[in-house]
């Protein structure tokens, strides 16, 4: 068949492209859902062709199925209006005694194909623009740089992990066993570490630039559109001066992104991507009628994927550090835990999905029951983290290891200062760097390079507005 005949595939492509344009994601998040979606649509059309024994009718039926299951009501409405219009014309011609239009399945299928591919082409235009704007090839070590004798640097970001005193205050949880496990392995654990921001994207920006967000000219002033704020952070992270500093020192940049790929280091020399669903893929499925029906029948599938991705992230990290490298590496792994969803009990068994799912995002804690399960997730995350740290230390005992969170986890009704009380621990076998007891993310990486950075003294903090990480309100409460 000619390309114009694969209408179902074109509609699926348009659905994915339009969704991608409306969400803040890097280009690497697009290809898998686009290819898988098109392949499923082609398979559906072929299957219907075998059942109906008519390629034209199969094309029409497959297009109708994907539009309905994808909840693509706008193009479906356009097609329905077009059909009604054609029927009205046929009726008027009959009343006038004029010959009927030569409509048949083949004519309808061909016109449907033209419409579908035109729709997909229009949907692709902003995606092409974003691809051009965000293109930033991996740089590699700067010419003439040498990393001889320098240690590997591992940064494991445990998203939303509270400081020890915050766990006691909010949950009555004594985390001293985990702190002891780290100190016996050579880690210095900061008792008063604190973030300057309550959102991951703002914290990462300050960390990879070594300065406050309002001092980063790529981010100030922030755009009004929330999606554009995330895109702006993505572009800024790809060009962060801390990465240039590591490259000048001969480092290879390696990253393992979380399901939030909008927080990834897209300019890394190597990106190790876990095979499980990303947040963008989940949103595509969740917004579709088919996904809503599937998740109501089996909501645990999403959380199985989340648990598997956490384990894959740590597996990839351990495997990377077990690999011999001719050059030193800066490895940034982003573990989306103990951040919501609460997916583990303390013993590692699956936790119950939140009652609101699939009608809500799984990445937010929405009920008291979720908060009650949070300490158990922290306990299991501790076990997972200690296991991968033991792997890294065993395979690369000279590595400088930083284990930290980007912000705290403020339980509903508790002091807002808990949003800033983040966790921090560092193991520097050769004493390459010293961190204060009240270290902030902003100073962690910049002091490992020759770059100047903001001291952060006196301490200042900001609260991000909901889903707008760069819309910041100064925090004026007691110091965390």
């Amino acid at each position: 068949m000619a390309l114009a005949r694969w209408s179902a595939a074109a509609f699926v492509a348009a659905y994915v492209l339009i969704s991608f344009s409306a969400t803040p994601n890097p280009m690497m998040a697009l290809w898998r859902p686009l290819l898988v979606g098109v392949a499923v649509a082609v398979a559906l059309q072929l299957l219907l062709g075998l059942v109906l024994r008519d390629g034209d009718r199969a094309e029409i039926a497959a297009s109708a199925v994907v539009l309905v299951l994808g909840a693509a009501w706008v193009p479906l409405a356009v097609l329905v209006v077009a059909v009604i219009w054609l029927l009205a014309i046929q009726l008027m011609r009959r009343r006038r005694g004029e010959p009927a239009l030569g409509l048949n399945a083949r004519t309808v299928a061909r016109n449907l194909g033209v419409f579908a591919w035109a729709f997909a082409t229009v949907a692709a235009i902003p995606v092409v623009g974003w691809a051009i704007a965000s293109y930033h090839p991996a740089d590699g070590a700067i010419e003439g740089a040498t990393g001889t004798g320098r240690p590997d640097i591992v940064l494991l970001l445990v998203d939303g992990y509270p400081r020890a005193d915050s766990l006691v205050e909010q949950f009555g949880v004594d985390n001293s066993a985990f702190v002891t496990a780290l100190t016996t392995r050579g880690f210095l654990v900061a008792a008063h570490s604190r973030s300057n921001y309550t959102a991951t994207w703002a914290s990462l920006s300050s960390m990879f630039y070594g300065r406050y967000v309002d001092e980063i000219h790529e981010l100030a002033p922030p755009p009004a559109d929330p999606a554009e704020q995330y895109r702006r952070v993505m572009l800024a992270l790809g060009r962060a001066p801390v990465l240039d500093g590591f490259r000048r020192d001969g480092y290879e940049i390696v990253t393992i992104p979380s399901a939030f790929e909008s927080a990834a280091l897209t300019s890394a020399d190597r990106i190790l991507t876990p095979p499980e669903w990303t947040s963008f893929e989940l949103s595509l499925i969740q917004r579709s009628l088919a996904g809503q029906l599937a998740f109501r029948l089996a909501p645990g599938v999403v959380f199985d994927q989340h648990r598997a991705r956490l384990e894959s992230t740590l597996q990839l990290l351990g495997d990377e550090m077990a690999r011999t490298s001719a050059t030193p590496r800066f490895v940034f792994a982003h573990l989306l835990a103990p951040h919501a969803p609460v997916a583990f009990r303390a013993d590692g068994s699956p936790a119950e999905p939140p009652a609101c799912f699939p009608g809500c995002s799984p990445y937010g804690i929405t009920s008291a029951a979720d908060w009650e399960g949070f300490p158990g997730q922290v306990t299991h995350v501790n076990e997972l983290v200690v296991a991968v740290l033991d792997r890294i230390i065993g395979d690369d005992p000279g590595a400088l290891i930083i284990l930290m969170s980007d912000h705290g986890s403020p339980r509903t009704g508790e002091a807002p200062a808990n949003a800033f009380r983040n966790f921090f621990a560092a193991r520097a076998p050769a004493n390459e760097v010293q961190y204060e007891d009240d270290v902030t993310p902003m100073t962690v990486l910049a002091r490992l390079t020759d770059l100047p950075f903001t001291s952060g003294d006196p301490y200042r903090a900001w609260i991000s507005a909901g889903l707008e990480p760069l819309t910041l309100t100064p925090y004026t409460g007691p110091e965390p």
Side-chain angles (χ1 to χ4, degrees), residues 131-180:
I132 295 171
S134 62
Y135 177 68
H136 191 284
D139 291 323
I142 293 175
E143 186 176 353
T146 175
T148 304
R150 295 183 184 275
D152 288 327
I153 299 174
V154 178
L155 171 58
L156 175 55
L157 188 81
V158 279
D159 204 303
Y161 197 114
R163 205 170 66 191
D165 58 339
S166 183
L167 278 171
V168 172
E169 178 180 321
Q170 298 187 96
F171 303 98
V173 172
D174 180 1
N175 207 28
S176 59
F178 180 56
V179 172
T180 299

Side-chain angles (χ1 to χ4, degrees), residues 203-217:
S203 284
L204 289 181
S205 297
S206 68
M207 183 162 64
F208 282 94
Y209 275 76
R211 58 189 65 249
Y212 292 113
V213 168
D214 59 0
E215 297 173 347
I216 302 172
H217 72 269

Side-chain angles (χ1 to χ4, degrees), residues 11-12 14-16 18-19 63-82 84 115 119 284-293:
F11 282 126
V12 169
Y15 172 70
V16 175
I18 290 173
S19 300
S63 297
V65 169
V66 298
L67 287 172
V68 171
L69 293 182
W73 307 124
V74 172
L76 190 61
V78 171
L79 292 176
V80 169
V81 169
I84 293 174
F115 172 80
F119 187 45
L284 284 176
I285 301 171
Q286 190 176 3
R287 288 202 311 272
S288 70
L289 181 60
Q292 283 285 320
L293 293 173

Side-chain angles (χ1 to χ4, degrees), residues 5 54-60 83 86-87 90 100-113:
R5 299 298 301 280
D54 185 307
D56 298 315
R57 295 181 187 278
E59 181 175 3
I60 297 168
V83 169
L86 288 173
L87 291 175
Q90 290 282 52
L101 294 174
L103 291 178
N104 52 44
R106 173 160 296 187
T107 302
V108 172
R110 287 178 175 174
N111 283 280
L112 185 64

Side-chain angles (χ1 to χ4, degrees), residues 72-310:
W73 307 124
V74 172
L76 190 61
V78 171
L79 292 176
V80 169
V81 169
V83 169
I84 293 174
W85 177 251
L86 288 173
L87 291 175
I89 291 176
Q90 290 282 52
L91 181 60
M92 286 188 293
R93 291 177 69 89
R94 180 178 300 176
R95 287 183 175 178
R96 295 173 185 166
E98 299 174 355
L101 294 174
L103 291 178
N104 52 44
R106 173 160 296 187
T107 302
V108 172
R110 287 178 175 174
N111 283 280
L112 185 64
V114 171
F115 172 80
W117 284 104
F119 187 45
T121 300
V122 171
I125 293 174
V127 175
V128 172
W130 170 238
I132 295 171
S134 62
Y135 177 68
H136 191 284
D139 291 323
I142 293 175
E143 186 176 353
T146 175
T148 304
R150 295 183 184 275
D152 288 327
I153 299 174
V154 178
L155 171 58
L156 175 55
L157 188 81
V158 279
D159 204 303
Y161 197 114
R163 205 170 66 191
D165 58 339
S166 183
L167 278 171
V168 172
E169 178 180 321
Q170 298 187 96
F171 303 98
V173 172
D174 180 1
N175 207 28
S176 59
F178 180 56
V179 172
T180 299
L182 293 176
T183 56
T184 58
R185 288 164 172 80
F187 282 83
L188 169 69
V189 181
H192 300 97
S193 54
R194 48 193 180 172
S195 174
N196 302 101
Y197 301 96
T198 60
T200 299
W201 293 263
S203 284
L204 289 181
S205 297
S206 68
M207 183 162 64
F208 282 94
Y209 275 76
R211 58 189 65 249
Y212 292 113
V213 168
D214 59 0
E215 297 173 347
I216 302 172
H217 72 269
E218 289 89 345
L219 302 179
D225 178 42
E228 187 59 31
Q229 290 191 14
Y230 291 97
R231 294 190 187 101
R232 188 78 64 84
V233 170
M234 270 190 289
L235 294 177
L237 289 177
R239 297 164 171 80
V242 164
L243 301 183
D244 292 336
F246 281 131
R247 289 191 168 104
R248 275 193 293 272
D249 290 337
Y251 277 84
E252 178 188 28
I253 311 297
V254 183
T255 190
I256 308 171
S258 74
F260 289 150
E261 290 184 302
S262 58
L265 299 180
T266 56
S267 67
D269 304 302
R270 286 189 293 123
I271 300 176
L272 309 179
T273 307
E276 291 78 23
W277 292 347
T278 66
S279 59
F280 174 59
E281 290 169 332
L282 172 59
S283 70
L284 284 176
I285 301 171
Q286 190 176 3
R287 288 202 311 272
S288 70
L289 181 60
Q292 283 285 320
L293 293 173
F295 290 160
R296 290 190 184 281
L297 294 174
V301 171
V302 173
F303 303 93
D304 289 341
Q305 281 282 303
H306 179 69
R307 284 184 285 270
R309 185 171 182 116
L310 298 179

Side-chain angles (χ1 to χ4, degrees), residues 317-382:
L317 176 58
D319 291 347
E320 173 61 30
M321 300 315 298
R323 188 183 66 84
T324 301
S325 176
T327 59
R329 293 160 290 185
F330 168 67
V331 182
F332 172 52
H334 187 174
L335 189 73
L336 195 61
H339 188 286
V342 175
F344 288 109
R345 294 190 175 96
D347 61 1
S349 61
E352 287 295 320
C356 64
F357 189 79
C360 64
S361 168
Y363 299 112
I365 291 184
T366 58
S367 69
D370 293 335
W371 282 119
E372 291 300 322
F374 184 79
Q377 176 140 296
V378 170
T379 298
H380 186 61
V381 167
N382 290 349

